[in-house]
Amino acid sequence: MSQAPGLRARSAIATASFSSSAASRRLIDVEQVRHESLEFPDNPFFNDLCGSVVAGEIILVAGAPGSNKSTLARQLVLDLAFRDFRLLQILTEETPQRVQSATIQMSSDMPRAKVRAALSRIHVETGISDVQMLPSFLASHVLNPHGAYYGSKLIVLDSIQGPGLSANNFEAYQALINFFTLARASRITVLAICHITKRGEIA
């Protein structure tokens, strides 16, 4: 049976595209990239749990409500803030006042001046009302040298479900993937807080 001309043309194009990229896919030709490690000296269990955390890694922190996901995120953020890193917390469920209070309480045994300096390096954003806003927000406010959060080394998204992420919203999931991809390419580590159901499934 003969193929239609259009089908043959599409097959030829697909074959040519695959063949042209095949040579660059040899393992020996892969360019090595030096990865910058992100250490949490006050929380060494996290590095032990995740292995070596590198800049640009996307880490999903999932758990049931009340399992202290946000508390863990605040611990890690404070750990880096004490080391002069600039950080961003995107809050979709908690208020900045609550986060500030919990963070201060968490560092109550530290010198007040050191705590104030750390808090000045932690930025909070509460204006994300839709997941689809994330890629443009990252480009405009974090990656742009004139952006309010330029230079952030770690972003906490607390939580993914906060801006109304539903299971059948393809555009929202695509925006979330684009956000993660852009952050990874820019060597910005993301901690994404995610709720799970009683059955242990992502909400």
Side-chain angles (χ1 to χ4, degrees):
M1 185 188 305
S2 61
Q3 287 184 313
L7 182 58
R8 285 200 301 271
R10 285 195 295 273
S11 299
I13 291 171
T15 303
S17 298
F18 178 77
S19 300
S20 66
S21 63
S24 65
R25 291 297 180 181
R26 296 186 305 169
L27 193 57
I28 196 171
D29 295 326
V30 175
E31 183 180 354
Q32 290 293 312
V33 178
R34 185 172 182 177
H35 294 289
E36 178 188 354
S37 295
L38 203 58
E39 301 292 336
F40 298 90
D42 293 335
N43 296 276
F45 73 92
F46 190 73
N47 284 103
D48 293 339
L49 182 66
C50 298
S52 177
V53 179
V54 299
E57 209 166 346
I58 310 300
I59 301 172
L60 186 66
V61 180
S67 57
N68 293 320
K69 301 181 296 297
S70 296
T71 300
L72 171 61
R74 284 193 288 269
Q75 284 180 215
L76 299 176
V77 164
L78 194 56
D79 197 340
L80 295 181
F82 281 137
R83 299 175 58 216
D84 297 334
F85 285 110
R86 194 174 195 191
L87 311 141
L88 171 62
Q89 296 189 72
I90 299 176
L91 306 176
T92 63
E93 296 182 9
E94 290 191 294
T95 65
Q97 290 80 10
R98 177 178 170 80
V99 172
Q100 182 193 61
S101 176
T103 303
I104 291 174
Q105 185 176 6
M106 189 176 289
S107 56
S108 59
D109 60 337
M110 302 294 292
R112 182 174 296 183
K114 187 173 182 178
V115 173
R116 287 183 62 85
L119 292 178
S120 71
R121 301 182 191 105
I122 302 171
H123 299 263
V124 290
E125 171 61 47
T126 59
I128 302 299
S129 57
D130 191 312
V131 174
Q132 295 184 57
M133 297 171 62
L134 286 170
S136 60
F137 167 81
L138 183 66
S140 300
H141 299 288
V142 182
L143 303 183
N144 183 344
H146 301 292
Y149 310 122
Y150 180 72
S152 296
K153 291 290 290 184
L154 179 141
I155 297 175
V156 173
L157 177 55
D158 189 5
S159 71
I160 288 176
Q161 285 92 353
L165 184 65
S166 61
N168 57 357
N169 190 337
F170 174 80
E171 289 78 11
Y173 273 100
Q174 188 59 56
L176 190 61
I177 291 170
N178 291 343
F179 169 72
F180 289 152
T181 302
L182 193 56
R184 183 185 296 114
S186 306
R187 306 281 182 88
I188 298 173
T189 304
V190 177
L191 287 181
I193 308 298
C194 179
H195 304 309
I196 62 173
T197 65
K198 293 180 180 178
R199 298 173 59 184
E201 300 171 346
I202 293 178

